Amino acid sequence: MSMGNVMVLAGRVGKDLTDTTYELIGKARELAAAWGGRVEVALFGTADPAGTLGAADVVVNIDHPALSDYVPEAYEVALRRVLAERAPRLLLLSNDTVGLDLGSALSVLWDAPQAAYVIELSADGDAVVATCQILGGKILAEVVIDAPRAIATVAAGSFPAAAGQGTDGVEVVTLTPPAELDTTRVTLRQIIEPTGGDVDITAADLLVSVGRGVGSKDDLETVQELADALGAPLSASRPVIDAGWMPKSRQVGKSGLKVKPKAYLSFGISGAPEHLEGMREAELIIACNTDAAAPIFDVAHYGTTIDLFDLVPALVEKLEG
Ligand SMILES: Cc1cc2nc3c(=O)[nH]c(=O)nc-3n(C[C@H](O)[C@H](O)[C@H](O)COP(=O)(O)OP(=O)(O)OC[C@H]3O[C@@H](n4cnc5c(N)ncnc54)[C@H](O)[C@@H]3O)c2cc1C
């Protein structure tokens, strides 16, 4: 329990752990190495997924019926116990509804400064240096925390998951559930899954994405033909969704979905920060926009200023011909 330990809260979706869990463990390894500490993962509910946490040094488990699904009150009680017992230097949470609930509560209860909307983290001597998004990513602020303990809530997709994946055996420490878990006042009634039926754009290797530059719902058909010819789903920027031309499940960006395809082909998308937030991790970005100054070209690996209505039909012809 050295002062240099880094604790990661494992995020769960049903039985599985979230990708972000592994992203945080990978970064935790780097930070713990700099501080001569260890990586510990707090895992609540059944310890079954501990087998996938081999990149950590220790899994700290608390199992109790109140922890089988995420309930803020119960998780807060459990995490306070873990922090009191293990005294990490830094607690890493995902910057989602869970992490934002717990981060702000524990910042007060555990008396630790919190950096939120974090996209980069490093160690500078004993201090934690965090790059945080402000105003939806329009401004990046560098925050240096040299308090003895700190909390960072980190945006999904900020670090590669591979560095945090491992199947080596890991030491599992089981803590006695705090008595307060028997008397929590909040219970989870029901999880309402989003209605499915549509494609999952976050799982696609190739995405064809369309923005307001397409002009109208009818003209979407042109780009849809290209997507069909490539066997890729069509995704979109927010104005296309807000106009009702495509379902919300296809929206890429801050208030939509974060995608990481092998290739992202964008047509008529300007590249606003809220859009880039959802797709800048794509391995290859190819952009078509008639405005050479459009910010999408700052992140694109290849780009063209050809009018999409000239380019897309020509591509379709080439693919089908
Ligand atoms: C809190 C908040 C959350 C948001 N969340 C999201 C989000 O999740 N996802 C998202 O996308 N946006 C989001 N936005 C909106 C975002 O700020 C932008 O308004 C939006 O991304 C712009 O969409 P666009 O690029 O399609 O449209 P525009 O910015 O209007 O760009 C259209 C582009 O098409 C180009 N163009 C026009 N005609 C052609 C042609 N014939 N051929 C080629 N190019 C052409 C133009 O040069 C222009 O660059 C959010 C905003 C806020 C404030």
mmCIF file with all atom_site columns, all heavy atoms in Angstrom, residues 183-204:
data_model
loop_
_atom_site.group_PDB
_atom_site.id
_atom_site.type_symbol
_atom_site.label_atom_id
_atom_site.label_alt_id
_atom_site.label_comp_id
_atom_site.label_asym_id
_atom_site.label_entity_id
_atom_site.label_seq_id
_atom_site.pdbx_PDB_ins_code
_atom_site.Cartn_x
_atom_site.Cartn_y
_atom_site.Cartn_z
_atom_site.occupancy
_atom_site.B_iso_or_equiv
_atom_site.pdbx_formal_charge
_atom_site.auth_seq_id
_atom_site.auth_comp_id
_atom_site.auth_asym_id
_atom_site.auth_atom_id
_atom_site.pdbx_PDB_model_num
ATOM 1   N N   . THR A 1 183 ? -28.215 -1.629 4.464   1.00 0.00 ? 183 THR A N   1
ATOM 2   C CA  . THR A 1 183 ? -29.305 -0.681 4.758   1.00 0.00 ? 183 THR A CA  1
ATOM 3   C C   . THR A 1 183 ? -29.371 0.455  3.746   1.00 0.00 ? 183 THR A C   1
ATOM 4   O O   . THR A 1 183 ? -29.811 1.553  4.060   1.00 0.00 ? 183 THR A O   1
ATOM 5   C CB  . THR A 1 183 ? -29.108 -0.072 6.175   1.00 0.00 ? 183 THR A CB  1
ATOM 6   O OG1 . THR A 1 183 ? -27.787 0.481  6.240   1.00 0.00 ? 183 THR A OG1 1
ATOM 7   C CG2 . THR A 1 183 ? -29.287 -1.102 7.267   1.00 0.00 ? 183 THR A CG2 1
ATOM 8   N N   . THR A 1 184 ? -28.898 0.214  2.523   1.00 0.00 ? 184 THR A N   1
ATOM 9   C CA  . THR A 1 184 ? -28.943 1.293  1.529   1.00 0.00 ? 184 THR A CA  1
ATOM 10  C C   . THR A 1 184 ? -30.406 1.636  1.219   1.00 0.00 ? 184 THR A C   1
ATOM 11  O O   . THR A 1 184 ? -31.285 0.779  1.259   1.00 0.00 ? 184 THR A O   1
ATOM 12  C CB  . THR A 1 184 ? -28.221 0.889  0.225   1.00 0.00 ? 184 THR A CB  1
ATOM 13  O OG1 . THR A 1 184 ? -28.705 -0.374 -0.174  1.00 0.00 ? 184 THR A OG1 1
ATOM 14  C CG2 . THR A 1 184 ? -26.725 0.846  0.408   1.00 0.00 ? 184 THR A CG2 1
ATOM 15  N N   . ARG A 1 185 ? -30.616 2.885  0.906   1.00 0.00 ? 185 ARG A N   1
ATOM 16  C CA  . ARG A 1 185 ? -31.995 3.351  0.696   1.00 0.00 ? 185 ARG A CA  1
ATOM 17  C C   . ARG A 1 185 ? -32.389 3.363  -0.774  1.00 0.00 ? 185 ARG A C   1
ATOM 18  O O   . ARG A 1 185 ? -33.545 3.542  -1.110  1.00 0.00 ? 185 ARG A O   1
ATOM 19  C CB  . ARG A 1 185 ? -32.147 4.753  1.285   1.00 0.00 ? 185 ARG A CB  1
ATOM 20  C CG  . ARG A 1 185 ? -32.144 4.759  2.801   1.00 0.00 ? 185 ARG A CG  1
ATOM 21  C CD  . ARG A 1 185 ? -31.746 6.105  3.343   1.00 0.00 ? 185 ARG A CD  1
ATOM 22  N NE  . ARG A 1 185 ? -30.417 6.480  2.857   1.00 0.00 ? 185 ARG A NE  1
ATOM 23  C CZ  . ARG A 1 185 ? -29.854 7.666  3.053   1.00 0.00 ? 185 ARG A CZ  1
ATOM 24  N NH1 . ARG A 1 185 ? -30.496 8.600  3.693   1.00 0.00 ? 185 ARG A NH1 1
ATOM 25  N NH2 . ARG A 1 185 ? -28.635 7.917  2.591   1.00 0.00 ? 185 ARG A NH2 1
ATOM 26  N N   . VAL A 1 186 ? -31.406 3.215  -1.652  1.00 0.00 ? 186 VAL A N   1
ATOM 27  C CA  . VAL A 1 186 ? -31.711 3.263  -3.075  1.00 0.00 ? 186 VAL A CA  1
ATOM 28  C C   . VAL A 1 186 ? -31.596 1.853  -3.651  1.00 0.00 ? 186 VAL A C   1
ATOM 29  O O   . VAL A 1 186 ? -30.605 1.177  -3.421  1.00 0.00 ? 186 VAL A O   1
ATOM 30  C CB  . VAL A 1 186 ? -30.713 4.191  -3.811  1.00 0.00 ? 186 VAL A CB  1
ATOM 31  C CG1 . VAL A 1 186 ? -31.016 4.243  -5.294  1.00 0.00 ? 186 VAL A CG1 1
ATOM 32  C CG2 . VAL A 1 186 ? -30.724 5.583  -3.198  1.00 0.00 ? 186 VAL A CG2 1
ATOM 33  N N   . THR A 1 187 ? -32.620 1.416  -4.347  1.00 0.00 ? 187 THR A N   1
ATOM 34  C CA  . THR A 1 187 ? -32.520 0.115  -5.007  1.00 0.00 ? 187 THR A CA  1
ATOM 35  C C   . THR A 1 187 ? -32.777 0.300  -6.499  1.00 0.00 ? 187 THR A C   1
ATOM 36  O O   . THR A 1 187 ? -33.524 1.190  -6.904  1.00 0.00 ? 187 THR A O   1
ATOM 37  C CB  . THR A 1 187 ? -33.548 -0.912 -4.476  1.00 0.00 ? 187 THR A CB  1
ATOM 38  O OG1 . THR A 1 187 ? -34.801 -0.261 -4.370  1.00 0.00 ? 187 THR A OG1 1
ATOM 39  C CG2 . THR A 1 187 ? -33.140 -1.511 -3.157  1.00 0.00 ? 187 THR A CG2 1
ATOM 40  N N   . LEU A 1 188 ? -32.129 -0.543 -7.273  1.00 0.00 ? 188 LEU A N   1
ATOM 41  C CA  . LEU A 1 188 ? -32.303 -0.466 -8.716  1.00 0.00 ? 188 LEU A CA  1
ATOM 42  C C   . LEU A 1 188 ? -33.552 -1.256 -9.081  1.00 0.00 ? 188 LEU A C   1
ATOM 43  O O   . LEU A 1 188 ? -33.659 -2.432 -8.761  1.00 0.00 ? 188 LEU A O   1
ATOM 44  C CB  . LEU A 1 188 ? -31.077 -1.055 -9.416  1.00 0.00 ? 188 LEU A CB  1
ATOM 45  C CG  . LEU A 1 188 ? -31.147 -0.950 -10.921 1.00 0.00 ? 188 LEU A CG  1
ATOM 46  C CD1 . LEU A 1 188 ? -30.560 0.368  -11.384 1.00 0.00 ? 188 LEU A CD1 1
ATOM 47  C CD2 . LEU A 1 188 ? -30.402 -2.099 -11.570 1.00 0.00 ? 188 LEU A CD2 1
ATOM 48  N N   . ARG A 1 189 ? -34.494 -0.618 -9.720  1.00 0.00 ? 189 ARG A N   1
ATOM 49  C CA  . ARG A 1 189 ? -35.746 -1.299 -10.069 1.00 0.00 ? 189 ARG A CA  1
ATOM 50  C C   . ARG A 1 189 ? -35.597 -2.057 -11.376 1.00 0.00 ? 189 ARG A C   1
ATOM 51  O O   . ARG A 1 189 ? -36.027 -3.187 -11.521 1.00 0.00 ? 189 ARG A O   1
ATOM 52  C CB  . ARG A 1 189 ? -36.875 -0.266 -10.196 1.00 0.00 ? 189 ARG A CB  1
ATOM 53  C CG  . ARG A 1 189 ? -37.181 0.475  -8.909  1.00 0.00 ? 189 ARG A CG  1
ATOM 54  C CD  . ARG A 1 189 ? -37.944 -0.399 -7.930  1.00 0.00 ? 189 ARG A CD  1
ATOM 55  N NE  . ARG A 1 189 ? -39.245 -0.762 -8.455  1.00 0.00 ? 189 ARG A NE  1
ATOM 56  C CZ  . ARG A 1 189 ? -40.332 -0.003 -8.353  1.00 0.00 ? 189 ARG A CZ  1
ATOM 57  N NH1 . ARG A 1 189 ? -40.275 1.150  -7.718  1.00 0.00 ? 189 ARG A NH1 1
ATOM 58  N NH2 . ARG A 1 189 ? -41.489 -0.396 -8.865  1.00 0.00 ? 189 ARG A NH2 1
ATOM 59  N N   . GLN A 1 190 ? -34.985 -1.404 -12.372 1.00 0.00 ? 190 GLN A N   1
ATOM 60  C CA  . GLN A 1 190 ? -35.004 -1.993 -13.703 1.00 0.00 ? 190 GLN A CA  1
ATOM 61  C C   . GLN A 1 190 ? -33.971 -1.294 -14.578 1.00 0.00 ? 190 GLN A C   1
ATOM 62  O O   . GLN A 1 190 ? -33.786 -0.076 -14.459 1.00 0.00 ? 190 GLN A O   1
ATOM 63  C CB  . GLN A 1 190 ? -36.401 -1.749 -14.295 1.00 0.00 ? 190 GLN A CB  1
ATOM 64  C CG  . GLN A 1 190 ? -36.663 -2.373 -15.623 1.00 0.00 ? 190 GLN A CG  1
ATOM 65  C CD  . GLN A 1 190 ? -37.948 -1.842 -16.257 1.00 0.00 ? 190 GLN A CD  1
ATOM 66  O OE1 . GLN A 1 190 ? -38.634 -0.989 -15.686 1.00 0.00 ? 190 GLN A OE1 1
ATOM 67  N NE2 . GLN A 1 190 ? -38.262 -2.316 -17.435 1.00 0.00 ? 190 GLN A NE2 1
ATOM 68  N N   . ILE A 1 191 ? -33.290 -2.061 -15.413 1.00 0.00 ? 191 ILE A N   1
ATOM 69  C CA  . ILE A 1 191 ? -32.416 -1.431 -16.401 1.00 0.00 ? 191 ILE A CA  1
ATOM 70  C C   . ILE A 1 191 ? -33.167 -1.435 -17.720 1.00 0.00 ? 191 ILE A C   1
ATOM 71  O O   . ILE A 1 191 ? -33.620 -2.489 -18.175 1.00 0.00 ? 191 ILE A O   1
ATOM 72  C CB  . ILE A 1 191 ? -31.086 -2.200 -16.546 1.00 0.00 ? 191 ILE A CB  1
ATOM 73  C CG1 . ILE A 1 191 ? -30.294 -2.112 -15.239 1.00 0.00 ? 191 ILE A CG1 1
ATOM 74  C CG2 . ILE A 1 191 ? -30.273 -1.650 -17.724 1.00 0.00 ? 191 ILE A CG2 1
ATOM 75  C CD1 . ILE A 1 191 ? -29.006 -2.878 -15.240 1.00 0.00 ? 191 ILE A CD1 1
ATOM 76  N N   . ILE A 1 192 ? -33.345 -0.261 -18.297 1.00 0.00 ? 192 ILE A N   1
ATOM 77  C CA  . ILE A 1 192 ? -34.044 -0.199 -19.590 1.00 0.00 ? 192 ILE A CA  1
ATOM 78  C C   . ILE A 1 192 ? -32.989 -0.095 -20.684 1.00 0.00 ? 192 ILE A C   1
ATOM 79  O O   . ILE A 1 192 ? -32.270 0.894  -20.781 1.00 0.00 ? 192 ILE A O   1
ATOM 80  C CB  . ILE A 1 192 ? -35.013 1.006  -19.631 1.00 0.00 ? 192 ILE A CB  1
ATOM 81  C CG1 . ILE A 1 192 ? -36.021 0.891  -18.479 1.00 0.00 ? 192 ILE A CG1 1
ATOM 82  C CG2 . ILE A 1 192 ? -35.709 1.086  -20.985 1.00 0.00 ? 192 ILE A CG2 1
ATOM 83  C CD1 . ILE A 1 192 ? -36.860 2.133  -18.264 1.00 0.00 ? 192 ILE A CD1 1
ATOM 84  N N   . GLU A 1 193 ? -32.878 -1.165 -21.462 1.00 0.00 ? 193 GLU A N   1
ATOM 85  C CA  . GLU A 1 193 ? -31.892 -1.182 -22.546 1.00 0.00 ? 193 GLU A CA  1
ATOM 86  C C   . GLU A 1 193 ? -32.405 -0.308 -23.684 1.00 0.00 ? 193 GLU A C   1
ATOM 87  O O   . GLU A 1 193 ? -33.601 -0.270 -23.948 1.00 0.00 ? 193 GLU A O   1
ATOM 88  C CB  . GLU A 1 193 ? -31.731 -2.618 -23.081 1.00 0.00 ? 193 GLU A CB  1
ATOM 89  C CG  . GLU A 1 193 ? -31.323 -3.625 -22.018 1.00 0.00 ? 193 GLU A CG  1
ATOM 90  C CD  . GLU A 1 193 ? -29.815 -3.783 -21.926 1.00 0.00 ? 193 GLU A CD  1
ATOM 91  O OE1 . GLU A 1 193 ? -29.117 -3.210 -22.791 1.00 0.00 ? 193 GLU A OE1 1
ATOM 92  O OE2 . GLU A 1 193 ? -29.350 -4.440 -20.984 1.00 0.00 ? 193 GLU A OE2 1
ATOM 93  N N   . PRO A 1 194 ? -31.492 0.378  -24.379 1.00 0.00 ? 194 PRO A N   1
ATOM 94  C CA  . PRO A 1 194 ? -31.954 1.136  -25.546 1.00 0.00 ? 194 PRO A CA  1
ATOM 95  C C   . PRO A 1 194 ? -32.581 0.175  -26.555 1.00 0.00 ? 194 PRO A C   1
ATOM 96  O O   . PRO A 1 194 ? -32.114 -0.960 -26.672 1.00 0.00 ? 194 PRO A O   1
ATOM 97  C CB  . PRO A 1 194 ? -30.672 1.755  -26.126 1.00 0.00 ? 194 PRO A CB  1
ATOM 98  C CG  . PRO A 1 194 ? -29.570 1.391  -25.205 1.00 0.00 ? 194 PRO A CG  1
ATOM 99  C CD  . PRO A 1 194 ? -30.060 0.411  -24.197 1.00 0.00 ? 194 PRO A CD  1
ATOM 100 N N   . THR A 1 195 ? -33.620 0.635  -27.235 1.00 0.00 ? 195 THR A N   1
ATOM 101 C CA  . THR A 1 195 ? -34.253 -0.273 -28.194 1.00 0.00 ? 195 THR A CA  1
ATOM 102 C C   . THR A 1 195 ? -33.280 -0.580 -29.330 1.00 0.00 ? 195 THR A C   1
ATOM 103 O O   . THR A 1 195 ? -32.687 0.324  -29.915 1.00 0.00 ? 195 THR A O   1
ATOM 104 C CB  . THR A 1 195 ? -35.550 0.339  -28.762 1.00 0.00 ? 195 THR A CB  1
ATOM 105 O OG1 . THR A 1 195 ? -35.272 1.694  -29.062 1.00 0.00 ? 195 THR A OG1 1
ATOM 106 C CG2 . THR A 1 195 ? -36.691 0.244  -27.775 1.00 0.00 ? 195 THR A CG2 1
ATOM 107 N N   . GLY A 1 196 ? -33.101 -1.854 -29.583 1.00 0.00 ? 196 GLY A N   1
ATOM 108 C CA  . GLY A 1 196 ? -32.111 -2.281 -30.573 1.00 0.00 ? 196 GLY A CA  1
ATOM 109 C C   . GLY A 1 196 ? -32.696 -2.290 -31.967 1.00 0.00 ? 196 GLY A C   1
ATOM 110 O O   . GLY A 1 196 ? -33.550 -1.485 -32.302 1.00 0.00 ? 196 GLY A O   1
ATOM 111 N N   . GLY A 1 197 ? -32.241 -3.208 -32.759 1.00 0.00 ? 197 GLY A N   1
ATOM 112 C CA  . GLY A 1 197 ? -32.796 -3.351 -34.105 1.00 0.00 ? 197 GLY A CA  1
ATOM 113 C C   . GLY A 1 197 ? -31.953 -2.654 -35.140 1.00 0.00 ? 197 GLY A C   1
ATOM 114 O O   . GLY A 1 197 ? -31.915 -3.057 -36.292 1.00 0.00 ? 197 GLY A O   1
ATOM 115 N N   . ASP A 1 198 ? -31.228 -1.616 -34.735 1.00 0.00 ? 198 ASP A N   1
ATOM 116 C CA  . ASP A 1 198 ? -30.408 -0.911 -35.702 1.00 0.00 ? 198 ASP A CA  1
ATOM 117 C C   . ASP A 1 198 ? -28.965 -1.429 -35.609 1.00 0.00 ? 198 ASP A C   1
ATOM 118 O O   . ASP A 1 198 ? -28.615 -2.130 -34.673 1.00 0.00 ? 198 ASP A O   1
ATOM 119 C CB  . ASP A 1 198 ? -30.461 0.591  -35.432 1.00 0.00 ? 198 ASP A CB  1
ATOM 120 C CG  . ASP A 1 198 ? -29.959 1.390  -36.626 1.00 0.00 ? 198 ASP A CG  1
ATOM 121 O OD1 . ASP A 1 198 ? -29.997 0.837  -37.743 1.00 0.00 ? 198 ASP A OD1 1
ATOM 122 O OD2 . ASP A 1 198 ? -29.527 2.530  -36.446 1.00 0.00 ? 198 ASP A OD2 1
ATOM 123 N N   . VAL A 1 199 ? -28.145 -1.078 -36.593 1.00 0.00 ? 199 VAL A N   1
ATOM 124 C CA  . VAL A 1 199 ? -26.751 -1.524 -36.545 1.00 0.00 ? 199 VAL A CA  1
ATOM 125 C C   . VAL A 1 199 ? -26.003 -0.797 -35.427 1.00 0.00 ? 199 VAL A C   1
ATOM 126 O O   . VAL A 1 199 ? -26.354 0.316  -35.040 1.00 0.00 ? 199 VAL A O   1
ATOM 127 C CB  . VAL A 1 199 ? -25.996 -1.255 -37.868 1.00 0.00 ? 199 VAL A CB  1
ATOM 128 C CG1 . VAL A 1 199 ? -26.470 -2.180 -38.951 1.00 0.00 ? 199 VAL A CG1 1
ATOM 129 C CG2 . VAL A 1 199 ? -26.079 0.196  -38.267 1.00 0.00 ? 199 VAL A CG2 1
ATOM 130 N N   . ASP A 1 200 ? -24.952 -1.444 -34.938 1.00 0.00 ? 200 ASP A N   1
ATOM 131 C CA  . ASP A 1 200 ? -24.120 -0.850 -33.902 1.00 0.00 ? 200 ASP A CA  1
ATOM 132 C C   . ASP A 1 200 ? -22.906 -0.218 -34.587 1.00 0.00 ? 200 ASP A C   1
ATOM 133 O O   . ASP A 1 200 ? -21.967 -0.899 -34.978 1.00 0.00 ? 200 ASP A O   1
ATOM 134 C CB  . ASP A 1 200 ? -23.682 -1.951 -32.924 1.00 0.00 ? 200 ASP A CB  1
ATOM 135 C CG  . ASP A 1 200 ? -22.735 -1.425 -31.860 1.00 0.00 ? 200 ASP A CG  1
ATOM 136 O OD1 . ASP A 1 200 ? -22.517 -0.196 -31.802 1.00 0.00 ? 200 ASP A OD1 1
ATOM 137 O OD2 . ASP A 1 200 ? -22.222 -2.249 -31.092 1.00 0.00 ? 200 ASP A OD2 1
ATOM 138 N N   . ILE A 1 201 ? -22.941 1.111  -34.745 1.00 0.00 ? 201 ILE A N   1
ATOM 139 C CA  . ILE A 1 201 ? -21.860 1.774  -35.485 1.00 0.00 ? 201 ILE A CA  1
ATOM 140 C C   . ILE A 1 201 ? -20.530 1.711  -34.729 1.00 0.00 ? 201 ILE A C   1
ATOM 141 O O   . ILE A 1 201 ? -19.475 1.841  -35.324 1.00 0.00 ? 201 ILE A O   1
ATOM 142 C CB  . ILE A 1 201 ? -22.199 3.239  -35.870 1.00 0.00 ? 201 ILE A CB  1
ATOM 143 C CG1 . ILE A 1 201 ? -22.495 4.097  -34.638 1.00 0.00 ? 201 ILE A CG1 1
ATOM 144 C CG2 . ILE A 1 201 ? -23.357 3.299  -36.859 1.00 0.00 ? 201 ILE A CG2 1
ATOM 145 C CD1 . ILE A 1 201 ? -22.540 5.597  -34.940 1.00 0.00 ? 201 ILE A CD1 1
ATOM 146 N N   . THR A 1 202 ? -20.593 1.476  -33.415 1.00 0.00 ? 202 THR A N   1
ATOM 147 C CA  . THR A 1 202 ? -19.330 1.417  -32.655 1.00 0.00 ? 202 THR A CA  1
ATOM 148 C C   . THR A 1 202 ? -18.572 0.117  -32.956 1.00 0.00 ? 202 THR A C   1
ATOM 149 O O   . THR A 1 202 ? -17.398 0.006  -32.633 1.00 0.00 ? 202 THR A O   1
ATOM 150 C CB  . THR A 1 202 ? -19.562 1.511  -31.132 1.00 0.00 ? 202 THR A CB  1
ATOM 151 O OG1 . THR A 1 202 ? -20.285 0.361  -30.708 1.00 0.00 ? 202 THR A OG1 1
ATOM 152 C CG2 . THR A 1 202 ? -20.318 2.757  -30.754 1.00 0.00 ? 202 THR A CG2 1
ATOM 153 N N   . ALA A 1 203 ? -19.259 -0.871 -33.542 1.00 0.00 ? 203 ALA A N   1
ATOM 154 C CA  . ALA A 1 203 ? -18.608 -2.154 -33.803 1.00 0.00 ? 203 ALA A CA  1
ATOM 155 C C   . ALA A 1 203 ? -18.096 -2.260 -35.240 1.00 0.00 ? 203 ALA A C   1
ATOM 156 O O   . ALA A 1 203 ? -17.454 -3.247 -35.599 1.00 0.00 ? 203 ALA A O   1
ATOM 157 C CB  . ALA A 1 203 ? -19.594 -3.294 -33.511 1.00 0.00 ? 203 ALA A CB  1
ATOM 158 N N   . ALA A 1 204 ? -18.367 -1.245 -36.070 1.00 0.00 ? 204 ALA A N   1
ATOM 159 C CA  . ALA A 1 204 ? -18.013 -1.349 -37.495 1.00 0.00 ? 204 ALA A CA  1
ATOM 160 C C   . ALA A 1 204 ? -16.528 -1.047 -37.734 1.00 0.00 ? 204 ALA A C   1
ATOM 161 O O   . ALA A 1 204 ? -15.968 -0.157 -37.102 1.00 0.00 ? 204 ALA A O   1
ATOM 162 C CB  . ALA A 1 204 ? -18.868 -0.376 -38.302 1.00 0.00 ? 204 ALA A CB  1
#
